[in-house]
Structure formats: structure tokens, C-alpha cells
Amino acid sequence: MMRLNRNLVRSRTCQTVLVFDTFKKLTPDLMHQFAYKNGSLHCENVDLAAIAATYGTPTFVYSRNTILADLDELQRAFAELDAHIAYAIKACSNGAILQLMAKRGVGFDIVSGGELWRIIRAGGDPSACTYAGVAKTEEEIRYALECGIYCFICESEDELRAINRIASDAGKQAPVAVRVNPNVDAHTHKYITTGTNENKFGVDISRIEQLYATIAAEMPRLRIRGLQMHIGSQLTEVQPFVTAVQKVTPLASQLKELYGIEFLSIGGGIGIVYDGCLASGNLDWWKEHPEQITIASYARALIPLLKPLGLRILLEPGRRLVGNAGVLLTRCIYEKRGESKLFKMIDAGMNDIIRPALYEGYHEIWPVREHNDDSVVVDVVGPICESGDFQAQNRSIPDVKPGELLAELSAGAYGSSMSSTYNSRPLAAEVMVDGDKITLIRRRQTLESMVADEILPTP
Ligand SMILES: *Cc1c(COP(=O)(O)O)cnc(C)c1O
């Protein structure tokens, strides 16, 4: 399987690049621009080895044209609706990526005052921002009101009352929507499912009508603007979205009639291909995975349900817009044969990508130099002093040797944005590739900047 995939995606000549373009037309979904050319893994036209030589490792590398292609495809897929994308910036919040999205007319879905600040810094428009989250503080609410965001997405009556009071103090009206929990199982990992009644998120669908009536009657500073749902992340099938939207549309209709709501947000959660990522640029892969969600199948299933509402539709994708567009470039430092396992130690740890440790996240791991030798079964582990610090377990990969570069694929979403300096490891560098151009979009953190806010008490 491994070898087969590698051969399928081998892109050695310009001619093969053309083949990629043809795939892009035929399966416009889930393509990305990472492929082997001349025996070395490239991002667009740039050899990843060249990036490692200039910027060191670990380094996140993003393909600008992959992001733009996905954005464009999503916008076109929903063109027949009054649909707007609000990119969920927690997936990847680097300012260069926000700037790119803002220039394409994309709005943003935020979950903190800090994210709003980042958007404004990057030239984004606060009036195109929706603000979600279960525990917004008074300070954050005041800041968002001052900035004039499009809508607060509220998760409890307590929160609504707080916003009403803060808006009153500020002499303002606050646009609000409530997050409805449709109680649908998203068939995703339990840590990233959000739309069942066991989660902390949203308000149960049976209580929404009463809550909107209470807002209208008792909270004069709130302006009811919409309704929102978000049932989970990394959904690999369309069906849970369909079930949830079917449950929520009658309610949205009713709220439109009663309170004149202007939008329904259907949240984010569109899954990407992690296992088979590199091969997913190939038509055969798609034939073998007919259930895998695509932007096209998502749009095809939902548009007929949404169109009759006559509402503005907000989409809040995070992962789908950046996940396959980024890799983490890392180097193998040592190998070790344990009693029962072969370990490859790399210079990236759970502080750089926490997904495997946090929710069994999977990333394909490919050597930058193309191998034709047999694969070996290994654990790929990082330098952090935790047993949970692994990137792959019992995984068949080419037999990379110490000193060799590796790319951890599909690392664009919930990679750098979730990274930390645990074990006093500075944050990784980030670069963006556009054709054959490389732009540094975050310097590798220095040790000085890592401790800049710490205070050493004078003895
Ligand atoms: C995280 C989140 C999203 C984005 O989820 P993805 O799975 O990355 O698309 C969208 N909306 C809300 C409210 C979120 O919390």
C-alpha cells in the first residue's frame, strides 16, 4: 500500500504536474501541493530540503496556493446561496494566513478577544467576525462590542444576560445568536464532538424557542440576529451534517418569522484526509473512499435544505481550509532499537504538534528524500519527557536514518496554533510557499523571547 501510494503520487516531471492539474479538475477536492519531484518532497515548486537548510527544523511549511484553491472551491460550491465563509482562526492563526483570507473577502469565526486582536492586526474586518465560546469574559465582551463585531454566538442564558448588561453600560446594542445543540452524533473523536447533549456546548434544541422569547422580552440591549450550530470537528461523512441541518432548519424558519433573524450558521467541522493524504491527489484513492466527505458532496447535500430558508448562510470551516495545506518539517536525530520496538527520534515534539497525544490524531510521515527501499515498522517519537510524546506508533515508513529530513503531513490545522514551549522548546518557525517563492511568516522563537514575560525576583 505504502509503495503503491508513493508511486501513484510520484511527480517527477512537468508532465506529471500536468497530471496533477487534471486530477484537480476531475476531483477538485482535497488536493494539496506536496509531491515528490526529482526525488525530493516539494511544497509547490520549493524543495523542502532547501527550506530546512535556510530556516532549520522543526518548521511549519504552508502552501499558499493550496489554501487559495480550497477557499475558492468552497466559495464557488455555495455560490447559489447568500453564503459567507467565517474562517475559524483557531485552526491556524498566523497573521499571514489571516491576511491572505481577509484579502479574499473571508470573515472570521473567533473564540477569544485575543483572536479578534489578531484579526485586526492582520487587516481583517471586525464587522465580519462571529464570536463563539462558552466562557467569554466581561473584558472580552466589551472589546468585541467596541470593535463592532458581526455577532456574538451565545451558549447560555447567563452569558446573554451578561452581554445585555455590558451593552447597556456601553450604550450599545449587541447583535446575538444562540448556538443550538441539535443532539446529533458527529461520529468523530469524543474530544472533538460538540453537538450532543453531553457536551458543554450550545443550548438544547428543545429550549431555543423559549430562550429567544426571553431575550426578546427581557434583554432590550440585544439584537437577535441569527442562529448557529457546530456539531464537531473532523467529520469524514456528510450524513451527520444533513441530520443536524434537517433538525435545525424548521427552527431557523420559525425564528426568522418571529424575530427576523438574518442568518443561520452551520458551523465548521468538514474533515480532511489524514490517512492517505499524499495519495488523495489520485483518482483511484477517491474511488476506494466513496464516503469521504468532499466540499462538493457537502454542498450538494446541504444546499437544497438551506436554500428555502432565504437566510444568509455562514460557514465556519477551520481545518478544511488549512489542514492539508501545511506540513511540519522535522529531522530524524537518532534511532534506537528497544526490546520490542524500533524508535526514530525526531526534533519535533508534542509541544509542536499535540494532536496525536491529545486525541489520537494521525499524521502521515514522509521522508523528504524519496526512498525506494523497504519500509520498516517504527514509533516516531519526539524529545519531550512524556510517554505521550509520539507522532506515530507501529507505523510502516521508509527506513529513514539519523540526519534525514521528514515531513509530517496535514499539519496546517491545529498544529502551530496549539503549540507550546513545554520543555523550554522555542516555538517553531513558519514559512509560506507561493510557487517558487518562500516567505518567512514566523521567526523561530528565541530563548530570550520565550522568557520575555518572566520576572526574576531581585534577591
Ligand atoms: C472549532 C470551531 C470551528 C471550526 O472547526 P473545524 O473542524 O476546524 O472546521 C467552527 N466553529 C466553531 C464554533 C468552532 O468552535
Side-chain angles (χ1 to χ4, degrees):
M1 184 64 180
M2 205 69 184
R3 178 175 297 276
L4 184 67
N5 286 350
R6 201 162 58 240
N7 290 338
L8 285 172
V9 298
R10 183 170 298 168
S11 173
R12 186 154 270 160
T13 61
C14 293
Q15 202 180 354
T16 337
V17 173
L18 278 180
V19 173
F20 262 72
D21 287 342
T22 313
F23 285 149
K24 181 82 189 135
K25 284 195 198 86
L26 293 171
T27 52
D29 246 282
L30 290 157
M31 270 296 300
H32 54 78
Q33 300 191 29
F34 293 91
Y36 287 102
K37 295 178 194 174
N38 305 318
S40 193
L41 192 57
H42 281 57
C43 173
E44 303 194 16
N45 299 328
V46 173
D47 189 339
L48 291 179
I51 292 176
T54 308
Y55 299 102
T57 53
T59 293
F60 288 94
V61 181
Y62 304 96
S63 157
R64 182 174 185 271
N65 288 298
T66 302
I67 297 173
L68 291 181
D70 287 353
L71 199 54
D72 186 48
E73 190 190 347
L74 190 59
Q75 282 173 329
R76 271 188 290 116
F78 281 89
E80 63 178 285
L81 299 183
D82 177 20
H84 299 263
I85 297 176
Y87 166 59
I89 89 160
K90 69 181 191 289
C92 185
S93 47
N94 184 293
I97 286 172
L98 303 182
Q99 197 179 52
L100 183 64
M101 303 261 185
K103 279 199 190 129
R104 297 285 157 140
V106 168
F108 300 95
D109 183 57
I110 58 171
V111 291
S112 73
E115 287 192 342
L116 180 52
W117 186 87
R118 272 185 187 270
I119 285 162
I120 294 167
R121 171 180 174 269
D125 180 1
S127 75
C129 289
T130 49
Y131 182 6
V134 294
K136 305 171 184 78
T137 65
E138 174 151 351
E139 199 184 353
E140 288 177 311
I141 293 167
R142 222 179 300 117
Y143 176 54
L145 267 176
E146 270 165 31
C147 294
I149 61 163
Y150 177 65
C151 199
F152 289 91
I153 310 293
C154 303
E155 310 234 12
S156 65
E157 185 172 331
D158 257 20
E159 179 192 338
L160 287 158
R161 290 196 188 276
I163 296 174
N164 184 58
R165 176 174 51 75
I166 295 161
S168 171
D169 292 347
K172 296 201 162 160
Q173 287 287 118
V176 297
V178 174
R179 175 168 177 173
V180 51
N181 184 333
N183 195 20
V184 169
D185 184 352
H187 302 298
T188 186
H189 192 276
K190 61 179 189 288
Y191 285 5
I192 49 176
T193 193
T194 59
T196 78
N197 52 24
E198 301 204 331
N199 301 120
K200 70 178 174 185
F201 296 103
V203 173
D204 193 81
I205 189 161
S206 62
R207 301 178 150 192
I208 294 283
E209 268 183 80
Q210 182 55 50
L211 185 54
Y212 275 68
T214 307
I215 298 170
E218 299 174 19
M219 303 179 210
R221 290 297 182 154
L222 303 188
R223 173 184 164 206
I224 296 174
R225 193 165 216 173
L227 179 70
Q228 192 260 12
M229 64 166 228
H230 171 69
I231 59 174
S233 200
Q234 183 52 17
L235 275 71
T236 54
E237 293 176 11
V238 170
Q239 192 51 47
F241 286 116
V242 171
T243 309
V245 167
Q246 280 170 334
K247 278 189 161 181
V248 164
T249 43
L251 180 63
S253 248
Q254 200 179 353
L255 297 175
K256 183 184 177 195
E257 206 135 286
L258 289 171
Y259 307 106
I261 66 168
E262 66 186 35
F263 78 88
L264 169 65
S265 167
I266 58 170
I270 309 170
I272 62 169
V273 177
Y274 281 103
D275 185 355
C277 165
L278 207 55
S280 70
N282 187 286
L283 271 180
D284 290 338
W285 190 94
W286 289 98
K287 285 186 194 136
E288 289 161 21
H289 299 83
E291 291 301 312
Q292 176 71 35
I293 194 169
T294 64
I295 286 175
S297 68
Y298 176 76
R300 208 181 308 119
L302 297 184
I303 286 173
L305 304 175
L306 296 169
K307 202 169 185 177
L309 289 174
L311 288 171
R312 172 177 300 172
I313 301 298
L314 299 191
L315 310 168
E316 302 171 358
R319 190 188 311 269
R320 183 60 187 80
L321 290 182
V322 290
N324 287 142
V327 303
L328 179 62
L329 188 56
T330 166
R331 197 180 289 279
C332 179
I333 308 276
Y334 300 117
E335 65 179 351
K336 173 159 92 173
R337 194 167 286 283
E339 283 307 302
S340 61
K341 284 193 163 186
L342 178 59
F343 294 99
K344 303 280 181 183
M345 270 73 87
I346 60 172
D347 67 1
M350 65 190 285
N351 70 300
D352 300 300
I353 298 193
I354 201 174
R355 294 187 64 260
L358 189 63
Y359 32 59
E360 302 170 310
Y362 181 101
H363 293 275
E364 286 201 359
I365 296 178
W366 289 80
V368 170
R369 178 177 67 78
E370 191 173 17
H371 280 238
N372 291 306
D373 48 355
D374 285 336
S375 292
V376 287
V377 176
V378 299
D379 275 20
V380 180
V381 300
I384 304 278
C385 300
E386 299 277 350
S387 299
D389 181 33
F390 57 84
Q391 296 300 327
Q393 289 179 306
N394 304 317
R395 183 81 66 80
S396 176
I397 65 167
D399 194 8
V400 291
K401 292 299 171 192
E404 269 193 64
L405 294 167
L406 296 166
E408 208 169 324
L409 302 188
S410 313
Y414 306 104
S416 83
S417 64
M418 282 183 133
S419 62
S420 76
T421 59
Y422 185 42
N423 278 208
S424 291
R425 291 168 43 81
L427 296 176
E430 292 181 280
V431 305
M432 177 112 78
V433 170
D434 177 14
D436 48 21
K437 200 170 111 227
I438 308 170
T439 307
L440 182 65
I441 60 171
R442 184 171 75 188
R443 265 175 239 112
R444 184 173 310 287
Q445 194 178 35
T446 61
L447 295 173
E448 279 301 328
S449 95
M450 186 174 70
V451 299
D453 295 318
E454 274 181 31
I455 297 164
L456 277 181
T458 39

